[in-house]
Amino acid sequence: MTSGGARRLDARGTATDLLQRIEAHFRAHVGAPFTIAALSRAVGRSERGLRNAFYGVHGMSPKRWIAAERMRAVRQALCTSSDAHATVTSIAADHGFSELGRFAKSYKARFGEAPSETLRSTCRNRDSRRVTSKGHVHG
């Protein structure tokens, strides 16, 4: 992404710019597997430099940030799902989670409810908004 030698990430703006590029790429490919080594190669930085940039900007490691972003993206998908046949399993898998028991435990710890509760709540809210007691559809 840079030509010539790698610039040092001393300036916060440089680290912020780097992370904005990484974050945009990650969000566009949220379900794809990511490793720190692959990310560092993709942006032409050392793994240590990448970690330092993440800690400097986000206060956490790239691995932790990726996990948090995936979890946030799953919650968003569960909350906005308009597919009546959507399942927690399919949504979690689409966002790169394969160990569903561990995923569900982490989700509940972070959001205070099981992912299935989020999906059911969303479906109930969506259905109640669409049909009134007199059968009129709203939406």
Side-chain angles (χ1 to χ4, degrees):
M1 299 214 172
T2 61
S3 59
R7 291 182 296 161
R8 294 184 53 97
L9 294 176
D10 293 338
R12 184 169 170 87
T14 303
T16 301
D17 294 342
L18 171 67
L19 293 187
Q20 285 176 345
R21 290 194 316 268
I22 291 170
E23 291 164 11
H25 178 75
F26 172 79
R27 288 185 179 114
H29 304 91
V30 73
F34 281 90
T35 64
I36 306 312
L39 283 177
S40 66
R41 281 191 306 272
V43 297
R45 302 283 188 229
S46 69
E47 289 182 42
R48 183 177 181 184
L50 192 63
R51 282 189 184 94
N52 289 343
F54 268 91
Y55 274 109
V57 174
H58 294 301
M60 65 179 72
S61 71
K63 185 176 179 178
R64 192 169 175 199
W65 182 87
I66 288 169
E69 283 299 299
R70 280 199 169 126
M71 195 66 72
R72 183 201 56 75
V74 167
R75 182 164 179 85
Q76 179 70 25
L78 290 170
C79 288
T80 61
S81 176
S82 60
D83 181 358
H85 301 291
T87 64
V88 170
T89 299
S90 65
I91 291 172
D94 288 347
H95 290 82
F97 290 98
S98 58
E99 297 181 35
L100 297 177
R102 185 175 293 177
F103 158 75
K105 184 177 179 181
S106 296
Y107 185 97
K108 186 167 186 167
R110 180 161 180 189
F111 299 113
E113 66 182 8
S116 58
E117 292 175 277
T118 304
L119 184 59
R120 277 195 309 266
S121 171
T122 300
C123 292
R124 265 188 264 117
N125 290 340
R126 183 180 59 237
D127 293 343
S128 67
R129 283 192 310 259
R130 287 189 177 161
V131 180
T132 67
S133 60
K134 295 184 180 185
H136 295 100
V137 177
H138 294 269

